[in-house]
Amino acid sequence: MKAVFKYIVVIILLLGVNSATAQDNKIEIVGMLVDNQSNQTIPYATVALYKNNSKEIITGTTSNDEGKFTINTSASNFYIQISFIGFKTKRITNFTVKNNKIDLGTIVLSEDNETLEEVVITGEVSKTVFKLDKRVFNIGKDISSTGVSALEVLNNVPSVNVNIEGEISLRGSSGVQILINGKPSVLADESSNALGTLTADMIESIEIITNPSAKYEASGTAGILNIILKKEEKKGWNGSISANTGTPDNHSVGISLNRRTEKFNLFTQIGVGYRSLPRDNEAVNRNLIDNEVIYSNGTAYRDETFYNITLGTDYHINDFNVLTLSGNFAYEVEDQPSKTNFSFYDSNNALISNWLREEVTDATNPKYQYELNYKKQFKNNKDHSLQLSALGRFFGKDQASQFKNTTIAGSNVNGNQQTDTEFQQSDYTFKADYTNPLSKTYSIEAGAQYLINDVGNDYEVRDFTDGVYVVNQDLTNNFEYNQKVLGVYFTVAYELDKWGVKAGIRLENTDLNTLLTNTNEANSQNFTNYFPSFHTSYKINDNVSFQAGYSKRIFRPRLWDLNPFFNISNNFNVRQGNPNLQPEFTDSYELTSIYKIGKASFSSSLYHKYTTEVVERVSTFADNVTTTTPENIGTNASVGFETNGKYNVNKWLVLTGDFNFNFFDRVGAFQEQSFNFSGNQWSSRLGSKIGLPADIDLELTGNYQSGFKTFQGDVTGYAFLDLGVRKKILKGKAVVNLGIRDMFESRISETFVSQPTFQTYSFSQRGRFVTLGLSYGFGKGEAMTYSGGRRR
């Protein structure tokens, strides 16, 4: 604690230093700080000038996000002292002044093991750091980031929302691209449901890129979320073991191990668990021509046993070359029972039939990925680098379903059916990225990416007719999907201490082919597009800065948007893909300000997006059956305002908030019906972290998502509250945590569709989730929690 006190005193003294020093004969002192073990830069370290033979401070500063610092002084008799919690304080007395400048170059700080053992780290709250073309959300040890999957961590990131369906939106817009360490990954692929295999303890930060530069793949009209995984740098054996239990069923055991040597970093994670995700559903189909109504309500379960293992190694060939080979294998066994009660009423509101539809679905899902990555850093500058990577991944599903209808009252309903699904997806990504800081102010980036997606979905439906199951040829087919995307890019940046600009261009060619093999229906698309980007920033002072940016984006239809097969779990409310769907294109403009007021820090943004060929979910109605299909319909122009901030009230209370308002103007038509309309939607989030006695932390997070108008109806708003409690034991080596998601069971999905000939209503709710976890870290590892859930 003495070390902590010393650093606090230094900071207080720095804040109190009189800035009105003499302007004549100023000396500029520059340098950069790095960790002696990891060679990583050290941000936010204290750099101070002291009078020789005295402890009187002259002036000081802190290193920036890149570990660099600059001090101006007119003093001539001083020494330089550099300090940071966890590192040995370094005093510099020998230096040379040349042309009124002292260039200290790269300064290496050594870890202070003794200080590390006695210091209590209190900066555990997640925080956002701003870069030229992105925001970086560093994951702290907040309760909401303990014992949860990556999907739930994303829901705590400013500007991001994850709805009850697991769909991710950024500033209210879907079409978000998820990357892992800057690259596509099976862990981030929506169709593989694998994002949940990442746990909060594995994540270092999340980059929020609302206006991506040309360096990034152009897909994702809402922007990019790049999940950066931790790199274990502690030598020796490190690891942790954890166990969770909860209701509804949420039980898992996991172990993480790491072995670090001078040349190798070996890592593995093994987990096994079982969980159940119940979901209550209601639906109403109202035929306005015949005045007939069908009501349905029931509960569906997704019970899952999962196994997961990750193995990998980093081989440090030398100080400038690193080779990484890693692989992951997961196997899931699913059981999806459901019961839905249906009631059919005629125009006089008389009951015609009432029946129970039961589903029994079994599935096995093998999935694996492997990655080879090579990174070379050049001797002249650590930021001068070349990175080559190759990623392969596979996801399979072998599923069988049995649907049984039992008549309860009224006329007999015979709708027994069976389905079989054999799904296989193989993806390959090859990337090359080159970065060269030509000078202290100029830098360039160049690279290429080749992406291959190859999918087959063999789907068969059988109807129970005259005592036997007969193949329904209208719903049975084999769907083949093949997409190849080749992209090349170049960017150039000019960045000073206060001002910077970055411009780039990306060229992408897309070759997409789909085929229904049984009917020989083929669809081919081949198109080439340019995607320019421009970003600039200006720092007025340490408390106020501005950013502005433009980029052009594309949203390519996903596999399940194109796959034309029905989901018949509820055969009166079915979803179907559209193989003729075209991509969306978006021009995105943004102006952001970042400012600090006392203990509070804020970020506010104005943004505008113009999207063509907008993909909308459109409902059609026939024979009392609602079919929802994606269609390209018109344009969408939106203007939005977003602000988020953090306020450190005192040492035991931190408040965070996020507010986003979006006004949109839609122009479009479907089936000769005009759908021109305007509307708005907004969301807000307020969180608090409270430090209680006995080393207990409490976190409360409240969320609200407003309702909004859709192409054919409305979506209802909702609010929900999450709570978390954490207790450290055994000097922090072990952690007990309790999490309650959706405490008041108020998080819902409710949609109304109102058209001249029909009206539909749908409602779903997952309910409250309670999880209790215990984790223990050994070696130099930290206590963490394994949660191997899948993305929904």
Side-chain angles (χ1 to χ4, degrees), residues 561-576:
D561 294 327
L562 299 169
N563 192 334
F565 296 121
F566 284 54
N567 180 340
I568 61 172
S569 294
N570 182 331
N571 54 0
F572 285 88
N573 293 278
V574 298
R575 293 190 176 186
Q576 184 181 23

Side-chain angles (χ1 to χ4, degrees), residues 59-261:
T59 186
T61 187
T62 58
S63 56
N64 64 15
D65 295 334
E66 298 175 348
K68 298 177 180 179
F69 65 87
T70 300
I71 303 178
N72 292 296
T73 182
S74 57
S76 59
N77 185 28
F78 60 87
Y79 64 90
I80 304 165
Q81 183 168 295
I82 302 170
S83 57
F84 191 62
I85 294 176
F87 290 86
K88 294 179 180 178
T89 298
K90 189 158 193 169
R91 179 180 295 191
I92 301 174
T93 56
N94 294 321
F95 44 79
T96 302
V97 180
K98 186 176 181 180
N99 297 325
N100 287 338
K101 185 174 183 179
I102 299 174
D103 190 346
L104 300 175
T106 299
I107 303 166
V108 179
L109 299 186
S110 301
E111 183 178 303
D112 188 347
N113 294 321
E114 187 173 318
T115 301
L116 283 175
E117 291 177 0
E118 64 182 30
V119 168
V120 178
I121 304 297
T122 58
E124 298 182 348
V125 179
S126 301
K127 64 180 180 180
T128 303
V129 177
F130 292 86
K131 303 291 186 179
L132 178 62
D133 56 352
K134 60 192 172 186
R135 287 177 288 161
V136 181
F137 185 74
N138 293 309
I139 305 299
K141 295 181 181 178
D142 308 55
I143 309 306
S144 57
S145 298
T146 303
V148 299
S149 69
L151 202 62
E152 292 172 282
V153 174
L154 285 172
N155 204 38
N156 287 280
V157 175
S159 309
V160 180
N161 182 65
V162 182
N163 69 11
I164 195 172
E165 305 288 341
E167 181 183 21
I168 299 171
S169 60
L170 184 58
R171 289 177 170 169
S173 300
S174 57
V176 182
Q177 185 187 16
I178 309 294
L179 302 178
I180 306 294
N181 290 335
K183 302 182 292 296
S185 169
V186 69
L187 296 175
D189 191 279
E190 183 178 21
S191 61
S192 71
N193 295 317
L195 193 61
T197 60
L198 287 180
T199 55
D201 52 88
M202 300 166 63
I203 301 173
E204 179 176 291
S205 62
I206 297 174
E207 297 179 348
I208 308 106
I209 309 170
T210 52
N211 243 336
S213 73
K215 176 179 180 178
Y216 298 96
E217 186 180 350
S219 64
T221 54
I224 293 174
L225 294 174
N226 183 22
I227 300 174
I228 307 298
L229 302 183
K230 291 179 179 177
K231 294 181 179 179
E232 181 58 69
E233 298 292 347
K234 300 172 183 177
K235 293 184 179 180
W237 281 102
N238 313 294
S240 71
I241 186 168
S242 62
N244 294 321
T245 188
T247 180
D249 290 323
N250 181 13
H251 318 295
S252 63
V253 176
I255 184 170
S256 296
L257 294 173
N258 174 264
R259 170 65 172 168
R260 174 77 175 177
T261 66

Side-chain angles (χ1 to χ4, degrees), residues 408-454:
I408 299 174
S411 59
N412 185 54
V413 175
N414 180 15
N416 293 355
Q417 293 175 300
Q418 293 178 340
T419 65
D420 280 320
T421 303
E422 185 177 345
F423 176 87
Q424 293 186 336
Q425 176 176 351
S426 298
D427 299 318
Y428 305 94
T429 303
F430 305 93
K431 286 193 68 178
D433 296 290
Y434 175 72
T435 301
N436 189 351
L438 302 175
S439 67
K440 290 184 178 181
T441 54
Y442 287 99
S443 63
I444 61 171
E445 298 172 319
Q449 175 178 288
Y450 187 52
L451 176 66
I452 303 172
N453 309 115
D454 193 4

